[in-house]
Amino acid sequence: MTTHATTVSPEARRWADLRRQIVFRTKRLNVGHLVEADQRYGRRDALGPHGVMLFFVSAAPTEPHGYRLHTAYRLWLSSPEADDLPRLLGELADIAAENVARCAATGDRWHPLGPHRSMVNGGDMSPPVGAVYVGVGVTTLDTDQGRWHQIARTLRDAPPGGRRLSAFDLKGQCYALLTDGTALHVDRDPHARLGVDGIRCTRTLDPDRIIHYNPHHDLTEQGDQHTREVWRALGSLHTVLTAHLLPRERP
């Protein structure tokens, strides 16, 4: 059951708008990841099925909510190590913590966008000075259709008398944790029924609606063991980055 809210703070509207923008951005990056991985499948520079996204916002007075979203990402070449998402995220969290400590010991301040020991290799790697960290996400090509390497092979095999599938027939997934406590999951399905957006979020995407019960309020504890391991590993990385980057005042 929902009712209409009477007063919504500008901050609540900004965060709801940011969640919607991050949903859109993660879907777009997931599609790009899928297309590139499909084009490079079987080559020496084949892409792995997982990637990490970092979200920052900068002040933008001319924008409707006064900010602009910047997204940098990291994709890996295909390898056994890059295929294990919880392990990949856990190692990235350890590397980030080591970079923070190493730079602090020499009087420097590490930043995940570089220029030294950068965590990313694509996207908005040089946002404006003063851009603030607001979250971390994952793009993955492993879905309930199967693991990427299994599904990718089916794109090369046309069934007798059947239609050859393309990358645009495949699903994708995205996870994200934001600094306001939001967790969201996007199940990107190009063949979803009209009105099914595949979005699960612990907080509202529409600030003008009051939701009395949100079935996704404990999203990070839902799903199978592998999904929960992904959330825990992503949470460890998010904790390291938040503790190091988040200023006292949020945007």
Side-chain angles (χ1 to χ4, degrees):
M1 177 180 178
T2 61
T3 59
H4 289 281
T6 55
T7 303
V8 180
S9 71
E11 181 181 13
R13 290 191 181 279
R14 277 197 302 273
W15 277 105
D17 182 74
L18 179 60
R19 293 176 204 120
R20 291 194 298 270
Q21 286 208 39
I22 286 177
V23 166
F24 173 79
R25 193 69 61 87
T26 58
K27 283 185 176 182
R28 189 173 70 181
L29 283 168
N30 185 259
V31 171
H33 179 192
L34 175 62
V35 171
E36 186 70 14
D38 177 52
Q39 292 175 345
R40 292 163 58 169
Y41 180 78
R43 291 172 17 185
R44 293 182 62 183
D45 62 345
L47 282 180
H50 314 301
V52 170
M53 301 173 281
L54 301 182
F55 306 110
F56 294 81
V57 298
S58 63
T62 60
E63 295 294 328
H65 295 279
Y67 76 91
R68 182 172 290 113
L69 174 64
H70 308 274
T71 307
Y73 61 83
R74 170 73 179 268
L75 298 177
W76 283 265
L77 295 179
S78 182
S79 70
E81 296 76 16
D83 288 349
D84 187 335
L85 181 54
R87 176 182 173 181
L88 190 67
L89 292 171
E91 291 179 351
L92 203 58
D94 291 341
I95 291 171
E98 291 172 4
N99 287 337
V100 170
R102 183 181 294 110
C103 288
T106 60
D108 297 323
R109 181 171 175 80
W110 175 74
H111 197 283
L113 303 186
H116 305 295
R117 301 186 179 93
S118 172
M119 285 177 53
V120 298
N121 57 15
D124 300 323
M125 295 188 288
S126 300
V129 175
V132 177
Y133 171 77
V134 291
V136 61
V138 164
T139 167
T140 176
L141 306 182
D142 289 348
T143 69
D144 57 9
Q145 291 178 317
R147 299 291 298 273
W148 162 245
H149 295 295
Q150 299 167 334
I151 296 298
R153 285 196 293 270
T154 69
L155 300 181
R156 277 81 190 160
D157 301 325
R163 181 181 70 90
R164 184 186 297 273
L165 296 177
S166 77
F168 296 101
D169 291 304
L170 302 184
K171 298 173 65 174
Q173 293 187 87
C174 300
Y175 301 76
L177 294 173
L178 309 184
T179 55
D180 71 333
T182 295
L184 66 87
H185 177 265
V186 178
D187 183 13
R188 186 191 57 75
D189 184 355
H191 300 298
R193 299 189 310 274
L194 185 65
V196 177
D197 59 18
I199 301 169
R200 294 185 296 160
C201 189
T202 57
R203 301 198 176 196
T204 184
L205 300 176
D206 183 353
D208 291 314
R209 300 175 66 204
I210 296 176
I211 301 176
H212 294 289
Y213 172 71
N214 182 354
H216 311 307
H217 71 281
D218 59 347
L219 179 61
T220 59
E221 298 302 321
Q222 297 176 0
D224 58 20
Q225 180 178 350
H226 174 76
T227 299
R228 295 193 299 272
E229 288 177 355
V230 171
W231 281 120
R232 283 193 286 272
L234 184 62
S236 296
L237 177 58
H238 183 51
T239 296
V240 172
L241 295 175
T242 299
H244 179 60
L245 297 173
L246 192 64
R248 294 181 180 179
E249 294 185 2
R250 295 176 180 170

